[in-house]
Amino acid sequence: MPIYAYKCTSCGFAQDEMLKISDAPLSVCPSCGKADYAKQVTAAGFALKGSGWYATDFKGSGSKPAETKPAEAKPDAPSSACGTAACPASH
């Protein structure tokens, strides 16, 4: 919900008001009762409802992915292209 800063031009009373975007702007000052309560231009502010947002909310189920084992080294076997006596011994 957006938070708006309001100030009365008659008495100087200032307060932040939490209103829905669809709500009509306030005009009556809660301090003096005059219709001089106006919205001020400020930086955007808002409040999140509910339990909040945390870094862990987007990390999945919390379980670690299965570890992959490195492939076991296989004994050197001649490949089909290198199975002849003309092939050099070192690769």
Side-chain angles (χ1 to χ4, degrees):
M1 238 193 263
I3 300 171
Y4 300 101
Y6 278 83
K7 185 174 183 180
C8 180
T9 56
S10 292
C11 69
F13 177 77
Q15 183 173 337
D16 291 341
E17 304 283 351
M18 189 179 320
L19 303 170
K20 293 180 184 177
I21 293 175
S22 60
D23 288 344
L26 301 176
S27 60
V28 177
C29 177
S31 179
C32 69
K34 294 185 180 176
D36 293 332
Y37 203 46
K39 193 185 313 185
Q40 303 295 297
V41 178
T42 62
F46 63 95
L48 297 174
K49 284 188 171 183
S51 62
W53 293 46
Y54 300 94
T56 56
D57 286 349
F58 299 101
K59 289 188 178 178
S61 64
S63 61
K64 293 182 180 178
E67 291 185 24
T68 56
K69 294 182 180 179
E72 292 183 18
K74 295 182 180 179
D76 290 339
S79 67
S80 60
C82 193
T84 63
C87 182
S90 64
H91 292 272

